[in-house]
Amino acid sequence: MNSPEGRSALEKHIFGITDDMEIERKSSEGGLLPDKLGDEDLSFEDVPPPPSKMKTTSDLFRMAIEAHEAGNYADAELLYRKLLSERPNVPSAWGNLGVLLRRRKMTEAAVICLRRGLALRPDDGTSWSNLGNALRDLCRYDEAVKAHRHAIDLDPGAPQIHYNLGLVHRDLGHLKEAEGCFRRAELLGYDSAELRWDHALLDLLKGDLEQGFEGLEARWQLHDCHPHFPEIPIWKGAPLEGQTLMVYAENGIGDSLQFCRYLPLVQSKAGAIVFYCDPSIKRLIQSSPEFEGVEVYGFDDALPEDIDAVIPLMSLPRMVGAKSEDIPNRIPYLKAPDTDVPILNKGLIPQIRVGLVWAGDIHHKNDHNRSIALEQFAQLLDLPGIQFYSFQIGGAESQIKDHCFDPMIRDLSAHIRDFADTASLLNQFDLVISVDTAVAHLAGALDIPVWVLIPFAPDWRWQMLRGDSPWYRSMSLLRQTSPGDWQEVMHRVRDRLIHKLHEITDIGED
């Protein structure tokens, strides 16, 4: 195996940091590294032939590696392709191109390239593990397990391969096996922040919140995660009498809505509490009585100058109590303000009003697993007695007209300026059906019934197997039973909706 020294992880995933083993630095010829290419917009044909002193395979290969390691992925891809067009039998070039394409989210092509390299050099444990990583991205978990196990057969002393296998076991819900793989990686000397981070996510997925939140502090050692406001002291839990503590949101809006419940628990620890958050939830937090006395600032606001200590929001549970029984359960803890959103008319016939959200932020690293195409909901739309509304924003709401679903789904996006508006609209609904997005958290925080559609490999907060959530009493979790299979989930959603309609009809007849 090649030495990992000087190499950063090539991929961070919402469920963990899958570790491509190494960029292969050897080719069939010697040579020194030259300059990198320039413009990312160069086409394949634009790549100039190397000057006469750089005609070897090794010259092109090392140029590609230099661009790859510098993060110039477009340049590196052009160079790997140039090399392979001239010398298609260089296995390490196929392997590196596969690693790069995976980094650029071209995962199907990455799998093909890695297999091409392995066909030329089938005894390369590193490439087998890289193949396992790419297969994991495609939710082809059984194939990924086989690839990693084959890699271990070839190189049993490589700790990163055990770590990578552990990630796949975690996705499959094999938590004991994942724990064993992570422990084995540690025993073999893999002492990395990435492993500690993923071990923390495993603990949280198991429901061991105390151990998990403690382990999440390893995020500050990750190469792409840095504390905000490094010039201000981090709060360690000591009382700050007469001083100001700022709690800042560090992740997505869903995390902010889930964990803002901890803010009242630290109000007695300081003279003043400042919450620094996304502007889209500022008005909502300010209007909620639970946060009376908390000064709320949006990311676009100028902060007060007299801040004495800071702490990230996700670190609050470990400061005030992180066991499951310590979860603050004053629900609802958010309250919609008076706003000018429309009052919805149920119409003359008895109906239940159901809100839908099918897509999250496209920039979310796991969006390809958690978001659903709107047509998956088609089997629900013919149910009589239900009026569907869309809370979708961000562009995916255009799918309503694209599929001619606008007679069945009323689009509310024009009435939504921020999450205060969303909350005011949600208060008029009997049920929300949502993928794992901020709207699902908001419905739970408002104590509105919400069914959350969960992918096969869930985010840590939803734990494993259970159909309820320890975070929200009005929430039900409907999980995929096999990777990528949303149709089976939708069959269960339809059955539950029919049952709900029957319940309402029976009550009406009484």
Side-chain angles (χ1 to χ4, degrees):
M1 291 205 30
N2 302 321
S3 168
E5 292 180 4
R7 182 189 59 80
S8 60
L10 289 179
E11 172 85 1
K12 182 176 178 181
H13 191 278
I14 189 65
F15 297 124
I17 303 172
T18 308
D19 198 1
D20 282 318
M21 301 298 293
E22 286 99 25
I23 299 173
E24 183 85 38
R25 292 177 175 78
K26 297 177 182 176
S27 71
S28 57
E29 304 178 41
L32 296 176
L33 280 171
D35 318 59
K36 74 177 184 72
L37 288 175
D39 195 332
E40 284 193 4
D41 294 326
L42 288 173
S43 69
F44 178 73
E45 291 73 23
D46 292 325
V47 178
S52 58
K53 65 179 180 178
M54 296 178 189
K55 291 183 179 178
T56 67
T57 300
S58 182
D59 291 326
L60 276 175
F61 190 73
R62 295 190 182 199
M63 287 176 71
I65 290 169
E66 184 180 70
H68 194 160
E69 293 187 318
N72 300 323
Y73 301 123
D75 293 351
E77 182 183 343
L78 291 172
L79 285 162
Y80 287 133
R81 290 168 61 193
K82 173 72 173 173
L83 187 157
L84 288 166
S85 71
E86 297 177 0
R87 295 286 300 275
N89 293 324
V90 180
S92 48
W94 285 111
N96 286 2
L97 180 57
V99 169
L100 184 149
L101 290 174
R102 176 176 176 255
R103 176 64 178 81
R104 301 190 76 188
K105 307 299 183 185
M106 303 173 188
T107 315
E108 292 281 6
V111 167
I112 294 169
C113 289
L114 287 160
R115 290 196 187 281
R116 287 288 298 267
L118 285 165
L120 295 166
R121 191 167 61 193
D123 61 347
D124 181 0
T126 291
S127 291
W128 278 105
S129 192
N130 288 341
L131 174 62
N133 292 340
L135 290 166
R136 175 182 178 241
D137 288 352
L138 295 172
C139 300
R140 290 159 61 178
Y141 299 120
D142 291 339
E143 293 177 72
V145 167
K146 290 178 182 178
H148 288 309
R149 283 179 173 164
H150 191 58
I152 289 171
D153 289 341
L154 293 167
D155 197 350
Q160 289 162 277
I161 300 178
H162 294 279
Y163 164 54
N164 288 342
L165 177 58
L167 295 175
V168 186
H169 277 308
R170 190 181 65 193
D171 290 346
L172 285 166
H174 304 160
L175 304 189
K176 289 184 178 179
E177 290 86 346
E179 178 83 25
C181 289
F182 289 166
R183 293 295 185 199
R184 201 165 296 118
E186 290 172 354
L187 291 171
L188 288 170
Y190 192 46
D191 182 21
S192 74
E194 288 82 5
L195 177 55
R196 291 190 291 274
W197 165 261
D198 278 308
H199 213 149
L201 295 180
L202 176 62
D203 288 331
L204 291 168
L205 196 59
K206 292 189 299 184
D208 186 351
L209 302 187
E210 187 172 31
Q211 187 74 21
F213 279 114
E214 185 65 37
L216 283 187
E217 295 304 298
R219 66 192 183 277
W220 305 120
Q221 282 76 56
L222 299 175
H223 75 280
D224 58 352
C225 189
H226 307 285
H228 300 193
F229 310 102
E231 71 282 4
I232 304 176
I234 296 288
W235 183 53
K236 303 295 186 182
L240 296 172
E241 188 173 350
Q243 296 180 295
T244 298
L245 170 65
M246 181 170 71
V247 181
Y248 64 85
E250 57 181 309
N251 295 324
I253 294 171
D255 285 334
S256 296
L257 295 176
Q258 179 180 358
F259 288 95
C260 66
R261 69 180 77 198
Y262 286 91
L263 289 170
L265 301 186
V266 296
Q267 281 187 279
S268 62
K269 304 288 187 180
I273 299 292
V274 167
F275 183 41
Y276 189 52
C277 61
D278 191 277
S280 65
I281 64 171
K282 175 183 172 180
R283 191 161 62 102
L284 175 64
I285 302 293
Q286 288 175 326
S287 68
S288 300
E290 190 76 6
F291 305 101
E292 184 177 356
V294 175
E295 301 173 37
V296 186
Y297 289 80
F299 291 149
D300 52 359
D301 293 331
L303 287 168
E305 296 181 0
D306 58 340
I307 294 172
D308 300 289
V310 297
I311 187 168
L313 182 63
M314 295 292 288
S315 293
L316 282 188
R318 64 185 285 268
M319 305 300 295
V320 300
K323 295 179 181 179
S324 294
E325 56 266 30
D326 296 325
I327 295 175
N329 60 3
R330 288 172 58 91
I331 294 178
Y333 57 87
L334 293 176
K335 182 179 183 298
D338 294 331
T339 183
D340 55 356
V341 299
I343 304 299
L344 305 178
N345 182 6
K346 277 194 174 182
L348 299 177
I349 61 172
Q351 287 186 320
I352 60 173
R353 190 178 288 146
V354 177
L356 301 178
V357 182
W358 58 90
D361 182 356
I362 60 173
H363 302 295
H364 191 285
K365 290 180 182 293
N366 195 44
D367 191 62
H368 64 290
N369 281 328
R370 66 173 188 163
S371 291
I372 306 174
L374 177 58
E375 56 261 35
Q376 297 273 12
F377 285 80
Q379 62 180 287
L380 310 180
L381 303 182
D382 65 335
L383 291 174
I386 300 178
Q387 179 60 62
F388 293 99
Y389 291 79
S390 166
F391 281 86
Q392 192 66 55
I393 58 173
E397 65 273 17
S398 65
Q399 295 177 33
I400 300 171
K401 288 190 175 180
D402 291 345
H403 295 290
C404 297
F405 286 165
D406 38 318
M408 289 78 74
I409 304 175
R410 300 181 185 180
D411 182 5
L412 295 174
S413 61
H415 304 291
I416 298 174
R417 297 163 297 185
D418 61 9
F419 279 89
D421 286 343
T422 304
S424 296
L425 287 165
L426 283 173
N427 277 336
Q428 304 179 54
F429 277 75
D430 303 291
L431 174 67
V432 177
I433 303 173
S434 175
V435 294
D436 182 4
T437 66
V439 174
H441 288 279
L442 178 56
L446 293 169
D447 207 24
I448 293 168
V450 54
W451 300 350
V452 186
L453 313 180
I454 304 294
F456 182 80
D459 186 68
W460 66 263
R461 76 199 71 223
W462 310 127
Q463 301 179 17
M464 298 298 299
L465 302 178
R466 62 189 300 168
D468 65 340
S469 169
W471 298 97
Y472 305 106
R473 66 188 182 192
S474 66
M475 181 176 286
S476 297
L477 307 178
L478 288 90
R479 301 172 182 269
Q480 284 184 344
T481 54
S482 59
D485 186 3
W486 288 115
Q487 277 297 302
E488 189 277 333
V489 176
M490 287 301 177
H491 288 320
R492 282 186 279 134
V493 171
R494 181 182 173 87
D495 288 345
R496 291 183 65 161
L497 280 174
I498 292 171
H499 181 72
K500 191 172 184 68
L501 282 168
H502 287 163
E503 283 183 337
I504 291 174
T505 301
D506 291 343
I507 291 171
E509 290 175 352
D510 292 343

